[in-house]
Amino acid sequence: MNNRIAVVPGSFDPPTLGHIDVIRRAAALYDELHVLVVHNPGKEAMLPIAQRLSLLEQSIAEENVDGNVIVASWSMGLLVDYATDVDAGVLVKGIRSQVDVAYETPMAIVNRHLAQIETVFLLPDPAHALVSSSLVRQVAALGGDVSPFVPGPVARFLDTGARGL
Ligand code: PNS
């Protein structure tokens, strides 16, 4: 396992500026960063995985994220199976609040037991501390302007009504 290779996993439904902030900073810390769209069975999805993947790729390009960033999706089982496949030794997650700490801690402990993989938490830029995909989904569904919270490609996609909502 290589501790210079990291994975940023998430639902990214949709990607937000908070996600891009974490991805940008993680890409500066590691030699190779995998941004992984993972199906979360505990959440009802707004966008299909392929759409989230495409929006992430466009957003990472448009936001000029530097580094060796690979965008992929995973629906074949455990997150740590993907990490093991690509030889990653680290998972990176953004932590906005105590609520995130409580949500992420058990997953970090389970992932370490499953595959000896460490989880590193990054604190968000305060500008993005309150942005979440679930709030963006709600604002978009009710016809509000999400452009302050999401990268351009996501704002344009949601604005076109392409979701069929
Ligand atoms: O953005 P999210 O929804 O908070 O991301 C959660 C996610 C997808 C990273 C988490 O649900 C996950 O790791 N799912 C993969 C299944 C898995 O490996 N579960 C066991 C370890 S927690």
Side-chain angles (χ1 to χ4, degrees), residues 12-16 19 96 131-138:
F12 301 108
D13 185 33
T16 67
H19 291 135
R96 292 160 301 187
V131 178
S132 69
S133 293
S134 59
L135 272 180
V136 168
R137 287 198 297 275
Q138 200 173 102

Side-chain angles (χ1 to χ4, degrees), residues 14 47 62 64 122 135 143 147 154 159 165:
L47 302 174
E62 192 170 303
N64 297 312
L122 293 184
L135 272 180
S147 60
V154 177
D159 201 39
L165 290 174

Side-chain angles (χ1 to χ4, degrees), residues 9-11 38 40 43 78-79 93 103 107 111:
S11 299
V38 187
N40 183 341
K43 290 182 180 171
L78 290 170
L79 168 61
K93 300 282 191 90
Y103 173 67
M107 292 198 279
N111 285 328

